[in-house]
Structure formats: structure tokens, C-alpha cells
Amino acid sequence: MATFPMEEPMCLIENQESKGLIVNQEALQILLGITQPVVVVAIVGKYRTGKSYLMNKLAGGKNGFELGSTIQSKTKGIWMWCVPHPTKQGHALVLLDTEGLGDVEKGDSKNDAWIFSLAILLSSTLVYNSMGTIDQQAMDNLHYVTELTERIKVKSPEGQAKEEEVDESGEFKRFFPSFIWCVRDFTLKLEKKDVPITEDQYLLDALELKNGVSKRVQDYNLPRRCIRHYFHSHKCFVFDRPASTSDSLQRLEELQESELEPEFVKKTTTFCSYIYEKCNAKVLVGGYTVTGRLLGNLAVSYTEAIRSGSIPCMENAVIALAQIENSRAVQEALAKYEEEMSKNIGKFPTETQEEFLNIHQECEIEATKVFMGLSFKDENLEYQKQLIHELAEKKSKYSLYNEEESAKKCKAILQKLSESLERDISEGKFSKPGGYKQFLAEKNSLVEEYNKTNDKGLKALEILQEFLTEKENVEAAILQADQSLTDKEKEIEEQRAQTEAAEREKQIVEENNRRLEEEMENQKKCLEDHQKMLEEKMEEEKKKIIEQNEWMIKEKLKVEEEAAIKDAERSDQTR
């Protein structure tokens, strides 16, 4: 079974004729095993435009994703290649290669629209690959972007009902990936009115809107407006033809770099460097960083929605994801508590309740850290409350174990110390005048020796009391049989024995009350620790949301500024 890092690509979402889109379980297991943040780069475009070549280069090799040198699309469904990120330590790079759009053999354009939608939903960077130039034909081939409001929902019906009716497409920029347009076999000069322009400026010019309200103008503007407004950043790379002959183009993966056009090689390197350095890990709204495991669950959620005939809803997916991850966060936290407790098990029985509670508190803090690190959107604190409840149960279990170990040890100590006393009782050594004083002397010596013994634990006094209570009948019998004592002396001895027993009972009650107070104080401290960590997490999440909102405002201002500059340029041209 394949594992991370993967040696070769594998189909993540299969496109089966009879069943539609299905998540491949083997690929899913690989994602679920990746706990690092993931940078997810998806590439879309018409078949036979060299998408797979770019993805293979990003993965660090020439081979992997199949290159289609014939008219048939080689990639069916969405293929995945997970490798360690070349420059971001502790991150994984997940490459998603989609089947070519517009493959005549498929015949179902709906299929293309869903593949395109899934690429957007799963990626943090979307690469659109086309041939020639960015002209109207290229825009028409990207018509899927104009259908996204029909294919993707931001809010659930319940969420929409709580808000005034708004155009959800305005929210896409907050959720959607960054957008890169790669233009292959580009032969034009990057100039505008004989002035050199950058690739990014070339893209911005191509996305410029026309004035007017006619259907023709609206059709022209629609894909451009969608690209401008749905994606939060826009980047462009133009590539020369990779090789000069048709034969070389058909065996691109076999060629050495020296056999490729130098400018093409140079631009491919620049493209890869940009992806490595500038493309960030995927995040959910609220600033939650997506790991491989989260990405796998998202893939399942979105694909199942499509298969069921529903429209994938980002809010529902995140809610479902939160339930899965928060349940797992509770289990991981409990496992951490058990792991930390197992390291301290050799310290049981503890001499005092305080010592046990300190061990518990340290283990609980570590467990809570795990929970806080994994949980998200636990808005009603449902899962944190569950964790607190289950940690209390585990604490009770270990507290009982601590007491049992103490009782076991105390009984073993008393059994060893009382061997001589038991033997003397069974042999009738105390059944004689003066035998009672001799019995008391041995019993008191035993108690003194027991009290001197260290590490008996919390049950030391209770187990001693049980032991002495068991001996009360024997002691009373020896007292009554001792003919050297008067009735008055026997009465005094009985009262003394009762007083000592009552004093020990009082000590036990006082100790239990003290433990109860310590327990309540510990519970209060643990809840304060939970509250403090929760406040820190909420503050961190609030900060992320503010950062996201500030970024959104900045992006909107940038778009407005660009539009103002374009309007000014058009105004100057009409004068």
C-alpha cells in the first residue's frame, strides 16, 4: 500500500462512467495519514495542453503524471501526488492533476464542470493551463468559471436564512484559491503600444471589462468579471514552445533539459520557484490550516455531495469537518492523558492526595493542549465539555487505582509485620495472667513499625484501622481472660481501646474531608486552566479572522484601485 511521501501519483477522485465521481480509498488513506499543513496545487485546462508536464516538474521529476501526446486525455478524474514541500519545512505539497476539459470522448460537459469545481474547492492554488494567447477563445474555454454560483454554495440553506439575501459570489474570494494562468506555446511579444509589459499586466489587460450593457458586452465581461472577483490573486506565466519538432513534443518526458528550448526551461524553473515560495498552505475560513487529513475529509464531503445530486456547500463541509476533527481531538487528548499518566504510574501509590492531584493536573494540561491544537469551530464548547467530563472519569479511575495500590501495599506490610503476633495468638501465648499487657506491647510495637514504614499511600490509616478492628474481638477475649487484672482495670482498658479507635476514625474523617477540599480546589484550578487555554485559542482565532477580513478589504480596495486606473486610462483615450 502506498504511503507518504508517494513515489508516484495515484487517482484521488475516480471518474467512473457508471457510478460518477468516487474517492479512491487507498489515496484517501494516504491523505488521512498526513498531519502536516498542505499546500494544494491543482491544474485545470483543456486536454493536450501540457498540464501534466508542469505537475511532474513541481514534483521534482519528469515522469509521474501521464503526458498525453495523442488526442486522448490521459488523466481521468483527479490524480494526486503528495511529496514533502521543497522549501516549507513541515509542510506537504499536494499536486492535483485534473482530466482534460473538453475531451470529446466523455461527451458530458457536466462532468467537466464538477471536476473544475472540485479543483477549486480542494486547492489553495489553481493553475489554469491554456495554449497560444489569452483571447476570446481562451476565455470561452474557461466558461466553467461562470457556472460556479450554480456548482458551489458558501452558506447552507440554514445559514442563508439567518442573513439578508446576498450574492454569495462576493464571498468566493474569501474561500477560493489563488489563480495562476499559464499560457503555453506563447509566440506574441509582451508589449502594449510598443511598450514592454509584464506577464501579470498582460493578464490584467486580458481581464479588462468593456463598457456597455448589450448582451454581447455582458457575455464578453462575464468570465472576466468572475475571474477578477472570485479569486483573491492573479498571476500569469507565458511559456515558449518547449521543442521545435512535433516528434520532440510527443516524447517530452523522454527529453533531457538540454534538448528543450532554453527559454522554456528557464520559465518552467521560474514557475516552480514561484509555486514553492509564494503559494501558501490551504486554510479554511477563520484561518484554520488544512492538513492532509482535513483535505481527505473535504474530498469525501464534496464528492459525496455531488454524487447525491446536491450542490457542494463549503459551510456544511466545514461543519462536518469540525465534527470529525473535534471528535478526534477529544480522543487524541484522552490518549495523551493516558500516555502521560502511564509515565507516572511507577509513582503510585502517592503518599498524599496533593501529589496525585499534581500528577493529574500536569497530565490534563498536556491533554488539553492536544485538544486545543486539533479542535476548531467548537462553537458551543460541546467537545471541550465532553473532554472535561471524560478526563474527570479517567481521573476517578486513576484515583481509585492509586487507592487500591495503597491498600494492597498497606495490607502486605501489615501481613508481614503481624506474622509474629498471629503466631503467638494461635499458640495461645497471651492466654495467661499478664498476657493482655504482652499482647498490647506486641500490637503497639507492630503499629509503631507500620507507621515508620514509608510510601504506604493514602489508605495507610484506613487499612490500619481495618486491621485493628479485626483484632478487637481477639483483644477483648485476651483482656477478659487475663486474671491478673481487676474488673475495674479491664473496664478502663476497654474504654481506652474504644477511645483510640474513635480517635483513629476521627482522623480518617478529617483526612477524607481534607482530600475532598483538595479535590475541589484541584477541579477549580483545572477549570481555570481550561478557561485560560480556551481564551488564548479564541483570541488567536479572532486574530486570524481579523487578519482575513483586513486582507479581504485590502483586496477589494486593490480591485477598485485597478478599476479606477483603467477608467482613467479609457477616459484619456476618448479625449
Side-chain angles (χ1 to χ4, degrees):
M1 185 174 177
T3 55
F4 174 78
M6 298 168 63
E7 294 183 2
E8 60 184 7
M10 177 182 294
C11 189
L12 171 63
I13 299 175
E14 299 175 16
N15 182 11
Q16 298 183 3
E17 284 186 22
S18 57
K19 298 180 181 178
L21 300 173
I22 295 177
V23 175
N24 174 16
Q25 290 303 306
E26 188 176 352
L28 176 62
Q29 290 308 312
I30 294 172
L31 281 179
L32 295 179
I34 300 174
T35 56
Q36 303 116 301
V38 287
V39 177
V40 190
V41 181
I43 192 164
V44 296
K46 283 182 70 66
Y47 66 100
R48 290 195 65 222
T49 54
K51 296 185 286 81
S52 299
Y53 177 83
L54 288 181
M55 298 304 264
N56 287 337
K57 295 303 289 183
L58 285 173
K62 290 185 296 183
N63 300 315
F65 291 114
E66 284 194 68
L67 305 185
S69 57
T70 69
I71 198 165
Q72 289 181 312
S73 171
K74 291 286 184 180
T75 308
K76 298 295 182 185
I78 298 179
W79 283 65
M80 170 186 83
W81 199 349
C82 304
V83 296
H85 199 285
T87 61
K88 289 182 170 64
Q89 192 172 7
H91 286 61
L93 177 62
V94 178
L95 303 170
L96 301 179
D97 188 13
T98 63
E99 65 181 74
L101 304 177
D103 185 354
V104 291
E105 287 192 354
K106 288 183 303 192
D108 185 2
S109 62
K110 249 188 211 178
N111 189 74
D112 284 345
W114 285 126
I115 292 288
F116 185 81
S117 300
L118 281 170
I120 287 174
L121 288 166
L122 297 176
S123 66
S124 52
T125 296
L126 181 75
V127 179
Y128 179 66
N129 199 64
S130 69
M131 302 289 283
T133 60
I134 303 179
D135 55 14
Q136 191 55 40
Q137 181 63 45
M139 286 291 172
D140 291 342
N141 290 337
L142 194 51
H143 65 88
Y144 308 101
V145 77
T146 66
E147 303 167 11
L148 288 176
T149 53
E150 300 167 22
R151 305 281 173 187
I152 297 172
K153 292 297 177 189
V154 174
K155 297 278 185 186
S156 65
E158 296 80 8
Q160 288 176 330
K162 291 177 185 176
E163 299 177 7
E164 294 180 11
E165 191 169 334
V166 292
D167 179 10
E168 278 201 326
S169 64
E171 287 288 297
F172 281 174
K173 187 171 286 193
R174 189 189 298 273
F175 295 90
F176 276 19
S178 56
F179 180 85
I180 298 176
W181 195 320
C182 288
V183 186
R184 309 293 289 276
D185 295 0
F186 186 77
T187 55
L188 301 178
K189 282 187 177 182
L190 281 175
E191 290 181 349
K192 185 178 181 181
K193 296 180 180 178
D194 298 327
V195 178
I197 58 172
T198 64
E199 294 160 301
D200 292 347
Q201 187 59 52
Y202 172 65
L203 174 59
L204 286 176
D205 287 346
L207 296 177
E208 188 175 338
L209 305 180
K210 285 184 177 179
N211 289 326
V213 293
S214 68
K215 185 178 185 308
R216 185 175 176 183
V217 169
Q218 288 180 22
D219 290 345
Y220 176 90
N221 286 343
L222 183 58
R224 291 167 172 81
R225 182 178 287 111
C226 291
I227 294 170
R228 287 161 65 104
H229 292 174
Y230 292 175
F231 302 98
H232 58 75
S233 65
H234 309 86
K235 183 75 182 169
C236 183
F237 290 92
V238 298
F239 295 79
D240 285 357
R241 194 175 172 87
S244 55
T245 66
S246 298
D247 178 62
S248 295
L249 289 172
Q250 290 182 5
R251 54 188 187 89
L252 207 55
E253 72 274 20
E254 299 172 12
L255 300 180
Q256 299 297 319
E257 282 198 355
S258 58
E259 299 176 83
L260 298 172
E261 293 294 329
E263 285 302 314
F264 175 80
V265 173
K266 183 179 176 183
K267 186 51 60 74
T268 301
T269 302
T270 304
F271 167 77
C272 291
S273 297
Y274 179 85
I275 295 288
Y276 296 152
E277 299 298 331
K278 302 295 184 183
C279 295
N280 297 320
K282 183 172 178 63
V283 293
L284 302 174
V285 69
Y288 303 107
T289 302
V290 174
T291 62
R293 187 177 60 253
L294 288 175
L295 182 65
N297 286 322
L298 278 175
V300 171
S301 179
Y302 290 137
T303 305
E304 286 183 352
I306 293 169
R307 276 171 50 76
S308 69
S310 305
I311 296 175
C313 170
M314 287 184 276
E315 184 178 63
N316 283 347
V318 171
I319 290 170
L321 207 58
Q323 291 172 344
I324 293 169
E325 286 304 299
N326 290 338
S327 295
R328 183 178 173 277
V330 170
Q331 295 310 311
E332 290 280 333
L334 294 173
K336 182 66 175 176
Y337 180 85
E338 291 280 3
E339 178 192 332
E340 293 299 314
M341 265 296 188
S342 66
K343 295 175 186 176
N344 290 281
I345 210 76
K347 297 175 184 177
F348 290 1
T350 59
E351 197 63 28
T352 64
Q353 174 79 347
E354 184 182 10
E355 189 181 341
F356 168 77
L357 292 175
N358 286 339
I359 291 171
H360 159 73
Q361 191 172 343
E362 288 171 8
C363 296
E364 185 171 72
I365 287 171
E366 291 305 310
T368 307
K369 283 179 184 175
V370 169
F371 175 79
M372 292 297 177
L374 294 174
S375 65
F376 71 100
K377 283 188 77 65
D378 185 16
E379 292 172 350
N380 298 320
L381 304 182
E382 174 189 349
Y383 294 93
Q384 188 172 5
K385 288 173 185 174
Q386 181 187 341
L387 176 65
I388 290 170
H389 173 71
E390 295 199 33
L391 283 174
E393 288 187 347
K394 287 194 176 291
K395 173 189 173 185
S396 297
K397 181 187 81 171
Y398 278 102
S399 179
L400 180 61
Y401 175 77
N402 189 37
E403 291 179 3
E404 288 172 347
E405 286 298 296
S406 173
K408 197 188 302 180
K409 191 167 187 179
C410 291
K411 286 175 181 177
I413 292 168
L414 283 170
Q415 185 178 5
K416 188 171 181 60
L417 291 174
S418 65
E419 284 175 355
S420 174
L421 181 66
E422 296 288 354
R423 186 170 56 251
D424 290 345
I425 291 170
S426 64
E427 292 176 357
K429 186 176 178 181
F430 306 117
S431 302
K432 61 182 182 180
Y436 182 70
K437 284 188 178 179
Q438 190 179 350
F439 172 82
L440 275 186
E442 280 198 39
K443 185 188 82 168
N444 290 338
S445 174
L446 179 153
V447 171
E448 186 180 347
E449 198 63 36
Y450 174 81
N451 288 333
K452 281 184 190 175
T453 306
N454 294 323
D455 304 323
K456 296 187 295 295
L458 303 173
K459 304 293 280 185
L461 195 55
E462 287 181 49
I463 299 302
L464 176 62
Q465 178 72 333
E466 285 177 15
F467 174 81
L468 294 175
T469 302
E470 287 171 5
K471 296 291 176 284
E472 282 178 356
N473 290 338
V474 174
E475 183 175 345
I478 292 171
L479 175 62
Q480 293 305 320
D482 193 338
Q483 296 175 359
S484 67
L485 297 173
T486 64
D487 289 345
K488 184 64 177 173
E489 286 174 326
K490 289 178 181 179
E491 187 180 337
I492 291 169
E493 285 301 322
E494 284 178 351
Q495 288 177 348
R496 180 197 55 76
Q498 289 172 4
T499 302
E500 286 180 358
E503 184 60 32
R504 284 194 299 271
E505 284 292 346
K506 181 184 175 187
Q507 283 181 283
I508 291 169
V509 170
E510 287 174 351
E511 189 171 315
N512 286 339
N513 286 338
R514 188 174 66 254
R515 281 189 211 160
L516 187 60
E517 287 176 8
E518 288 176 352
E519 175 81 17
M520 292 175 69
E521 188 61 34
N522 177 261
Q523 283 182 359
K524 181 181 174 184
K525 181 71 172 65
C526 288
L527 287 172
E528 285 172 356
D529 289 339
H530 273 276
Q531 185 64 28
K532 183 182 176 186
M533 283 192 256
L534 176 63
E535 286 172 359
E536 288 173 356
K537 184 177 176 68
M538 289 174 69
E539 190 61 35
E540 185 183 334
E541 290 177 357
K542 182 181 174 184
K543 186 179 174 185
K544 286 179 180 176
I545 291 171
I546 290 171
E547 285 175 357
Q548 269 200 332
N549 288 337
E550 287 177 347
W551 168 79
M552 275 292 294
I553 292 168
K554 185 178 172 185
E555 287 298 319
K556 285 179 179 178
L557 289 173
K558 188 168 140 189
V559 170
E560 288 173 5
E561 188 180 330
E562 287 170 357
I565 291 170
K566 290 292 181 185
D567 289 343
E569 287 177 355
R570 280 197 294 269
S571 178
D572 289 343
Q573 289 169 3
T574 55
R575 285 175 187 171

